[in-house]
């Protein structure tokens, strides 16, 4: 047994990053619980296209699990992957709902966007972009990721409402869902204090918030997965034929995935010991390849683009540093397919407060005592990027603004 543990440690580099196998596994469980809501939310959103909701649940779980397991075993990084909220909304309500494309054509657009991302990864153009980003902009991205994580928390509890990718209202009512947010947030804050030294604080917060939600009737209904024919009915239904009409759709899917993943890789690891002495993330090319491959897989099984999830921050902030986090998370995703009613045991509202807390940690830890303070330009860019993340419920738009602002600065100043 000791020899097996040592082999696992050597393969993933657990001791190298100052972690333990038990901590990695706990971080993987926490990451899974923080994002399991997507197995309910993604089918609910994408079923507006006319797709079978059981098929969507199957596609969401399979694409997420396979991509996350590959991220753990191949890239050896603690990132979980699943269909992005910003992607499935665009897929269902804009591409199919407004533009009138069939869901098969929309899956074709997802497929080709994944191919583009994979090509730019192999070149390797994406890695070159990451290596060229100045430290000030990297800090701005980390703050934007933190704001986006907090925005998701506000959205899940119904405090912030979004329509067509823009904020449409704020509900100041102290509803049971909002109370669940405060319960998770307060417990996370208390157990996260340095004097407490409690490594599983966020997991405890999720459990307590789940109990509160259950007592107050806040539950989630999950689609059944008993009919195999329904489960695989969306697989291999892609309309591959590219047309000029679909070109803008390809580009939008591509840009959201392209810039979003860059921002997450940087933001999620900005204050960790995962980076080498030159500030580079090891295996970043492999991680980007898995991210792109996940989108292609998602199109084949019948769901929107697979992206690296910001909820990975939950496991990372608990001390998870290696691919074991992703591996455990991916295995639990597969188990979800066998025990789908268990997914609803943790309602989306139970994770809202923890996401607020994690977003706060990402923003708080962006600037360490050893770092130089941001100059006025990057400070302004950071603030604007954070505002864009919140108002548009989108990370990619914030990333694109940051790149554009920095490019203009370099050209004119």
């Amino acid at each position: 047994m000791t020899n097996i543990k040592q082999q696992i440690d050597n393969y993933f580099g657990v001791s190298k990053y100052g972690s333990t196998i038990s901590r990695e596994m706990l971080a993987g469980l926490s990451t899974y619980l923080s994002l399991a809501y997507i197995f309910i939310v993604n089918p609910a959103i994408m079923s507006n296209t006319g797709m079978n909701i059981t098929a969507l649940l199957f596609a969401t779980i399979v694409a997420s699990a396979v991509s996350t397991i590959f991220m753990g075993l191949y890239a050896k990084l603690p990132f979980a992957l699943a269909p992005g909220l910003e992607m499935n909304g665009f897929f269902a309500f804009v591409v199919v709902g407004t533009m009138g494309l069939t869901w098969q054509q929309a899956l074709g657009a997802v497929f080709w966007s994944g191919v583009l991302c994979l090509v730019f990864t192999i070149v390797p153009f994406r890695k070159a972009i990451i290596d060229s980003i100045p430290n000030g902009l990297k800090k701005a991205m980390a703050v934007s990721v933190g704001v986006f994580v907090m925005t998701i928390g506000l959205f899940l509890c119904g405090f912030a409402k979004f329509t067509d990718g823009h904020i449409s209202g704020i509900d100041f009512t102290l509803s049971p869902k909002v109370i669940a947010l405060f319960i998770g947030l307060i417990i996370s804050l208390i157990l996260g204090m340095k004097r407490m030294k409690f490594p599983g604080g966020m997991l405890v917060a999720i459990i307590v918030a789940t109990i509160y939600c259950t007592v107050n009737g806040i539950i989630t209904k999950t689609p059944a997965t008993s009919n195999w024919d329904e489960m695989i009915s969306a697989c291999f239904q892609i309309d591959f034929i590219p047309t000029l009409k679909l070109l803008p759709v390809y580009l939008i899917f591509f840009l959201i995935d392209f810039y979003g993943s860059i921002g997450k890789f940087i933001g999620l690891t900005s204050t960790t010991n995962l980076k080498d002495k030159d500030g580079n993330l090891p295996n970043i090319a492999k991680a980007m390849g898995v991210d792109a491959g996940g989108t292609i897989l998602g199109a084949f099984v019948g769901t929107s683009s697979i992206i690296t999830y910001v909820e990975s921050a939950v496991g990372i902030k608990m001390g998870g540093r290696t691919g074991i986090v992703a591996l455990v998370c991916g295995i639990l995703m597969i188990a979800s397919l066998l025990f789908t009613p268990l997914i609803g045991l943790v309602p989306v509202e139970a994770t809202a407060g923890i996401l607020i807390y994690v977003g706060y940690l990402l923003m708080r830890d962006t600037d360490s005592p050893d770092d130089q303070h941001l100059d006025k330009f990057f400070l302004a860019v950071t603030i604007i990027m954070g505002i864009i993340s919140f108002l548009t419920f989108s990370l990619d738009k914030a990333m694109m603004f940051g790149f554009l602002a920095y490019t203009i600065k370099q050209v004119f100043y």
Side-chain angles (χ1 to χ4, degrees):
M1 181 64 71
T2 303
N3 187 43
I4 294 176
K5 286 185 177 180
Q6 189 60 50
Q7 289 178 348
I8 294 174
D9 190 307
N10 293 339
Y11 181 79
F12 289 102
V14 179
S15 298
K16 173 185 175 182
Y17 293 111
S19 185
T20 63
I21 293 178
S22 60
R23 183 188 301 167
E24 297 292 305
M25 295 179 68
L26 186 62
L29 172 61
S30 299
T31 297
Y32 167 77
L33 292 177
S34 70
L35 60 75
Y37 69 85
I38 196 61
F39 300 141
I40 309 300
V41 175
N42 189 56
I45 292 176
M46 291 193 60
S47 62
N48 288 280
T49 64
M51 299 178 73
N52 183 286
I53 195 167
T54 299
L56 286 167
L57 175 61
F58 174 81
T60 302
I61 292 176
V62 170
S64 302
V66 173
S67 301
T68 302
I69 289 173
F70 263 87
M71 181 65 78
L73 291 177
Y74 178 60
K76 304 178 186 177
L77 290 169
F79 301 136
L81 298 91
L85 283 173
E86 64 269 47
M87 308 293 248
N88 53 30
F90 177 71
F91 184 108
F93 300 119
V94 178
V95 178
V96 177
T98 302
M99 298 179 65
L101 276 67
T102 65
W103 58 264
Q104 292 90 343
Q105 289 175 316
L107 287 177
V110 170
F111 170 80
W112 288 115
S113 70
V115 170
L116 279 174
C117 282
L118 188 59
V119 169
F120 276 86
T121 298
I122 295 173
V123 169
F125 185 67
R126 292 172 85 184
K127 186 177 185 301
I129 290 180
I130 292 178
D131 293 341
S132 65
I133 297 174
N135 289 332
L137 188 53
K138 287 182 178 179
K139 293 179 184 297
M141 289 180 174
V143 171
S144 296
V145 170
V147 172
F148 187 57
V149 172
M150 297 176 76
T151 302
I152 291 177
L154 294 174
F155 167 74
L156 293 179
C157 73
F159 182 83
K161 301 181 184 301
F162 294 85
T163 303
D164 297 330
H166 296 86
I167 189 166
S168 57
I170 301 291
D171 185 2
F172 291 99
T173 305
L174 195 62
S175 65
K177 293 182 179 181
V178 175
I179 293 176
L181 178 150
F182 283 115
I183 289 175
L185 175 60
I186 291 171
I187 293 176
S188 296
L189 285 169
I190 293 174
L191 296 182
M193 296 171 63
K194 290 184 178 179
R195 69 187 69 176
M196 295 293 294
K197 295 182 179 179
F198 192 83
M202 282 181 272
L203 180 57
V204 172
I206 292 175
I207 293 172
V208 174
T210 297
I211 294 173
Y212 169 83
C213 289
T214 303
V215 171
N216 285 272
I218 303 174
I219 58 177
T220 304
K221 294 183 179 180
T222 58
T225 54
S226 57
N227 190 319
W228 178 254
D229 290 335
E230 286 189 7
M231 289 169 62
I232 63 173
S233 61
C235 293
F236 306 106
Q237 299 297 311
I238 307 174
D239 184 343
F240 287 105
I241 303 174
T243 65
L244 289 177
K245 178 183 178 181
L246 294 177
L247 182 59
V249 179
Y250 298 156
L251 292 177
I252 292 174
F253 273 127
F254 165 70
L255 291 174
I256 292 175
D257 200 355
F258 185 86
Y259 285 105
S261 61
I262 289 177
K264 288 162 191 169
F265 289 141
I266 293 174
L268 291 171
T269 60
S270 62
T271 58
T272 69
N273 60 345
L274 284 171
K275 297 182 178 180
D276 60 25
K277 60 181 181 180
D278 298 319
N280 299 317
L281 184 65
N283 292 335
I284 183 64
K286 291 182 178 180
M288 290 187 293
V290 173
D291 185 274
T295 292
I296 296 173
L297 173 63
F300 274 113
V301 296
T303 188
S304 58
S305 303
I306 300 297
I307 64 172
T308 299
Y309 248 54
V310 290
E311 282 82 354
S312 302
V314 173
I316 292 172
K317 284 301 178 182
M318 287 186 64
R321 291 293 181 269
T322 74
I324 295 177
V325 176
L327 181 60
V328 170
C329 185
I331 292 173
L332 290 172
M333 289 175 174
I334 288 290
S336 299
L337 189 62
L338 303 176
F339 307 100
T340 50
L342 296 179
I343 302 175
L345 292 179
V346 181
V348 297
E349 295 82 1
T351 65
I354 289 80
L355 294 178
I356 299 292
Y357 175 66
V358 169
Y360 155 73
L361 292 180
L362 287 171
M363 295 173 65
R364 183 198 68 180
D365 297 340
T366 299
D367 198 18
S368 68
D370 297 329
D371 291 327
Q372 295 180 349
H373 291 288
L374 299 178
D375 60 30
K376 292 181 179 179
F377 170 77
F378 281 122
L379 181 60
V381 169
T382 300
I383 294 173
I384 296 174
M385 287 176 69
I387 293 174
I388 292 174
S389 292
F390 175 73
L391 294 180
T392 66
F393 196 51
S394 173
L395 189 61
D396 59 287
K397 294 183 178 67
M399 299 297 113
M400 292 175 69
F401 169 80
F403 281 116
L404 180 62
Y406 179 71
T407 301
I408 293 175
K409 177 179 181 290
Q410 293 297 100
V411 171
F412 293 101
Y413 295 96

